[in-house]
Amino acid sequence: MGSVLGQLGGVYAIWLREVKRSLRDKGQLIGGVSRPLLWVLILGIGLNPYFRGEVYGEVRFVVPYTYIQFIFPAVVVLNILYTSVQSAVSLIWDREFGFMREVMVAPISRNLVLLGKVLGGATTAVIHGCMVLAVAHFVGIGLTIETILKALALMFTMAFGLTAFGIIIANYVRGFEGFGVFSNAVILPLYFTASSVFPLDPALTRAQTLVTYPEWLVVIVEHNPMTYAVDAMRGILIGFNQFDPTLGFTVVGAMAASLFALAMWEFRKI
């Protein structure tokens, strides 16, 4: 019993250190505020007039939300994506300054060390996601207790998997600069091909979609797991889904489990 409590105490200590260090990093906090402001205020307001309805022949399709409301769930996912992956830079920091060697000789298993770091990064990412949710009222999205709980569950599962993904990247990149360049090279394509700024029209069949959009773009969007994360968040916040509503939660859960399993494998090499 004492050994189990000791192991859990070790996980808690690593989690607390990760959260405190992230929240004291003013650069991360400024980024967590400036990103949603840039996307919601500049892009959202700028493109809002062009999203109120479309006319095809004599038929007018009226969407029941504005562009700001459409893009808002994707901005929540963007803040989670950035913060989760970037939080893994702490692994490079610990490795460079010798702290990781001290942790590895402590009486706690490597998998639990990894769990503490992933939980710390995921917690910080969820806090950054909540910074966006806090302004939902100002873009016309009403939040209920049920909506908030569903959003938090999805955000934490997503952040857990993406933090593990960041640690996998950090295991292959040795320098801070290289990690920043490499992670951005992964984050931006994942975000922009996740149907985050434009939807694949759910009213079209696949054959019609392939006529409307280039096939390579449709294939990338459909195989990007973040597409289903964004779709699930839209379903929760504005009630719009391009895919089966249960598919988003299934894909995000499978992504988190598989990335953490892969991170455990990679963490053995440290």
Side-chain angles (χ1 to χ4, degrees):
M1 186 66 180
S3 175
V4 173
L5 290 177
Q7 297 277 317
L8 292 177
V11 173
Y12 172 74
I14 294 170
W15 168 82
L16 187 62
R17 177 175 179 271
E18 293 293 320
V19 173
K20 281 186 173 179
R21 183 164 60 180
S22 297
L23 295 182
R24 287 172 181 168
D25 186 340
K26 293 181 180 177
Q28 276 199 37
L29 288 175
I30 292 171
V33 174
S34 64
R35 270 192 303 273
L37 286 178
L38 179 67
W39 281 89
V40 174
L41 291 182
I42 306 300
L43 191 62
I45 292 177
L47 295 180
N48 205 40
Y50 303 98
F51 201 71
R52 294 189 182 280
E54 295 290 343
V55 177
Y56 297 95
E58 297 181 352
V59 181
R60 180 177 178 82
F61 297 90
V62 178
V63 290
Y65 37 77
T66 63
Y67 187 66
I68 295 179
Q69 293 167 333
F70 173 79
I71 201 174
F72 187 82
V75 177
V76 176
V77 172
L78 177 64
N79 247 23
I80 296 284
L81 179 59
Y82 254 106
T83 310
S84 300
V85 174
Q86 293 292 342
S87 69
V89 76
S90 69
L91 179 63
I92 298 176
W93 182 276
D94 291 345
R95 198 169 53 207
E96 288 289 317
F97 294 95
F99 180 76
M100 188 53 66
R101 285 196 298 273
E102 298 176 14
V103 172
M104 288 306 181
V105 298
I108 178 172
S109 73
R110 287 196 174 205
N111 288 341
L112 291 180
V113 172
L114 173 66
L115 179 63
K117 293 189 80 66
V118 172
L119 287 175
T123 303
T124 306
V126 170
I127 292 171
H128 282 227
C130 288
M131 290 179 183
V132 187
L133 281 183
V135 299
H137 173 74
F138 300 101
V139 298
I141 295 178
L143 297 178
T144 63
I145 297 296
E146 183 183 0
T147 301
I148 293 172
L149 291 178
K150 283 183 179 178
L152 287 175
L154 180 65
M155 287 159 61
F156 183 79
T157 308
M158 195 189 323
F160 189 86
L162 291 171
T163 304
F165 179 53
I167 286 177
I168 295 169
I169 295 175
N171 200 34
Y172 285 95
V173 180
R174 292 297 164 185
F176 298 105
E177 297 82 3
F179 180 82
V181 171
F182 192 75
S183 60
N184 278 320
V186 172
I187 290 171
L188 293 178
L190 276 176
Y191 180 69
F192 282 111
T193 59
S195 198
S196 52
V197 293
F198 61 89
L200 294 181
D201 193 336
L204 300 179
T205 65
R206 179 170 174 76
Q208 291 171 323
T209 301
L210 291 176
V211 172
T212 308
Y213 300 98
E215 183 176 1
W216 60 266
L217 180 60
V218 175
V219 171
I220 291 174
V221 170
E222 289 180 343
H223 287 78
N224 181 356
M226 298 310 299
T227 296
Y228 304 96
V230 171
D231 190 63
M233 189 61 76
R234 283 202 181 109
I236 293 171
L237 296 182
I238 64 173
F240 171 76
N241 287 101
Q242 296 183 78
F243 306 96
D244 187 318
T246 61
L247 187 59
F249 290 93
T250 304
V251 171
V252 171
M255 179 186 73
S258 57
L259 286 175
F260 186 71
L262 186 57
M264 283 197 295
W265 175 263
E266 294 291 342
F267 208 63
R268 295 178 181 179
K269 302 175 184 176
I270 295 178

